[in-house]
Amino acid sequence: MARTSLTITPLPGFAPTIGRLVGMLSYSRVTLLAAVEGLSLEELDHLHDAKSNTIGALLAHAIAVERWYQVLTFEERKPSASEEAAWAAALDLGDEGRRRLRERELSSYLEELAGNREATLAALATRDEAWLERPLPAAPEMNAHWAWFHVAEDEISHRGQIRWLRARLSRRGR
Amino acid sequence: MARTSLTITPLPGFAPTIGRLVGMLSYSRVTLLAAVEGLSLEELDHLHDAKSNTIGALLAHAIAVERWYQVLTFEERKPSASEEAAWAAALDLGDEGRRRLRERELSSYLEELAGNREATLAALATRDEAWLERPLPAAPEMNAHWAWFHVAEDEISHRGQIRWLRARLSRRGR
């Protein structure tokens, strides 16, 4: 975590308010990646108890949440039925997630997280502050600023759970 | 949660960027309060396992973190030795927290959370955007914007854990 900046400021390449938001998204992501660093397939798929989500499933959730808000904010539409179906297990977690979100290496999760984030930042770089603040065409009760804050917030909340779950993995002393 | 705004915008009474930050702090707090609503003393003090923090201890932690950053950002100094000593169990959690952070009703936690937040918002209302962005005199590696984002971030992370712990309280079906 040493290289993580403890400042929130405008960032080059983004409108000032968007840059500050990107700083929060990036900080949250760094802490998520630190929380899962080095986990094996077995650890990612470990179920703490019958009601838990695995750490792998929580990573799949973070991936699906980012995709969902990309569609909602950048493509300005609700996800299609086929997108919803593809993401449902990861978005909803629970029984379906426990059944389907398994047997995936950490590197695969990390690649998809990184690819999605690259697309998010590329899209945010082309937007302005009026876009950030106005109601979303596909969900007028929210604006893009809240939507992307919420992506960070949801990721942070599950990172808190991941830290808790990781501290109870039996194979290593953490 | 129905009354929670799903927008981040400038807010009356605050500089624009500070208002957006206040929106994030307030949203995070509403979700924390929802996560602990109605918990009994016994539930607040329930220890899930020997390494866990109780939900009460996590509320004490949120209180102490906000106080710590009030001192750092508004009083522009590091907490004194006596402040550090008073807050240590809540800031550090762990064994000392498990021993000392007990037997406190939810209403008592909520009152202190609300009082601290009122002080935070009153102080933020008097600050400008230059203050928010410049390095903290007492901790120049960070700025006030990051500090208060971090207060929200830490609260969200522990709220994730509180939700997990609450779902496993035996007395009620949640």
Side-chain angles (χ1 to χ4, degrees):
Chain A
M1 299 277 299
R3 66 211 159 86
T4 310
S5 170
L6 304 184
T7 61
I8 298 292
T9 64
L11 296 177
F14 300 94
T17 303
I18 295 179
R20 296 180 185 106
L21 176 63
V22 166
M24 297 179 197
L25 283 161
S26 299
Y27 179 84
S28 304
R29 178 58 54 88
V30 166
T31 66
L32 175 69
L33 299 183
V36 299
E37 190 178 0
L39 290 177
S40 67
L41 183 68
E42 183 190 359
E43 291 170 322
L44 289 167
D45 283 354
H46 175 74
L47 204 58
H48 179 81
D49 64 30
K51 285 202 290 187
S52 276
N53 298 297
T54 66
I55 295 176
L58 294 173
L59 288 174
H61 181 74
I63 289 167
V65 168
E66 182 152 7
R67 286 291 293 122
W68 206 92
Y69 282 98
Q70 285 176 344
V71 169
L72 199 70
T73 64
F74 301 138
E75 301 181 32
E76 302 195 341
R77 61 175 177 86
K78 289 270 169 66
S80 66
S82 66
E83 286 166 336
E84 290 263 24
W87 302 338
L91 285 175
D92 302 341
L93 295 170
D95 285 338
E96 191 69 1
R98 276 182 286 274
R99 197 172 64 79
R100 288 180 46 198
L101 306 171
R102 304 179 57 78
E103 298 180 17
R104 187 170 170 189
E105 293 285 356
L106 181 61
S107 58
S108 168
Y109 289 116
L110 297 185
E111 275 169 34
E112 192 168 5
L113 280 165
N116 287 349
R117 181 51 52 93
E118 190 177 1
T120 295
L121 298 187
L124 287 174
T126 68
R127 265 61 177 191
D128 63 17
E129 306 218 341
W131 171 86
L132 190 69
E133 194 166 316
R134 72 165 181 256
L136 292 177
E141 72 280 11
M142 64 178 83
N143 66 10
H145 202 157
W146 183 85
W148 286 102
F149 162 68
H150 177 60
V151 171
E153 181 240 331
D154 193 67
E155 192 164 310
I156 293 163
S157 175
H158 291 302
R159 182 209 68 199
Q161 296 171 338
I162 288 172
R163 286 179 179 171
W164 196 96
L165 293 167
R166 181 172 187 151
R168 285 157 182 80
L169 289 173
S170 55
R171 202 164 65 83
R172 302 182 193 179
R174 50 198 170 202
Chain B
M1 299 278 298
R3 67 211 158 83
T4 309
S5 170
L6 304 184
T7 60
I8 299 292
T9 63
L11 296 177
F14 299 94
T17 303
I18 294 179
R20 296 180 184 105
L21 177 63
V22 166
M24 297 180 197
L25 284 161
S26 300
Y27 179 85
S28 304
R29 178 58 54 88
V30 166
T31 65
L32 175 69
L33 298 182
V36 299
E37 190 178 358
L39 290 178
S40 68
L41 184 68
E42 183 189 0
E43 290 170 323
L44 290 167
D45 284 354
H46 175 73
L47 205 57
H48 179 80
D49 65 28
K51 284 201 291 187
S52 276
N53 298 297
T54 66
I55 294 176
L58 294 173
L59 288 174
H61 181 73
I63 289 168
V65 167
E66 181 152 6
R67 286 290 294 123
W68 207 91
Y69 281 98
Q70 285 177 343
V71 168
L72 198 70
T73 63
F74 301 138
E75 302 182 31
E76 302 194 341
R77 61 177 177 84
K78 289 270 169 66
S80 65
S82 65
E83 287 167 334
E84 290 262 25
W87 302 339
L91 286 175
D92 301 341
L93 295 170
D95 286 339
E96 191 69 1
R98 276 182 285 275
R99 197 171 64 79
R100 289 179 45 195
L101 306 171
R102 303 180 58 78
E103 298 180 17
R104 187 169 171 191
E105 294 284 356
L106 180 61
S107 59
S108 167
Y109 288 116
L110 297 186
E111 276 170 34
E112 192 168 5
L113 280 166
N116 286 350
R117 180 51 55 92
E118 190 178 1
T120 295
L121 299 187
L124 287 174
T126 69
R127 264 61 176 191
D128 63 19
E129 306 218 342
W131 172 86
L132 191 69
E133 195 165 315
R134 71 166 181 256
L136 291 177
E141 73 280 13
M142 63 178 84
N143 66 9
H145 203 158
W146 184 86
W148 286 101
F149 162 68
H150 177 60
V151 170
E153 180 240 331
D154 193 67
E155 193 165 308
I156 294 162
S157 175
H158 292 301
R159 182 209 68 199
Q161 296 171 337
I162 288 172
R163 287 179 178 171
W164 196 97
L165 292 168
R166 181 172 187 152
R168 284 156 182 82
L169 290 173
S170 55
R171 202 163 66 81
R172 304 180 193 181
R174 55 196 167 204

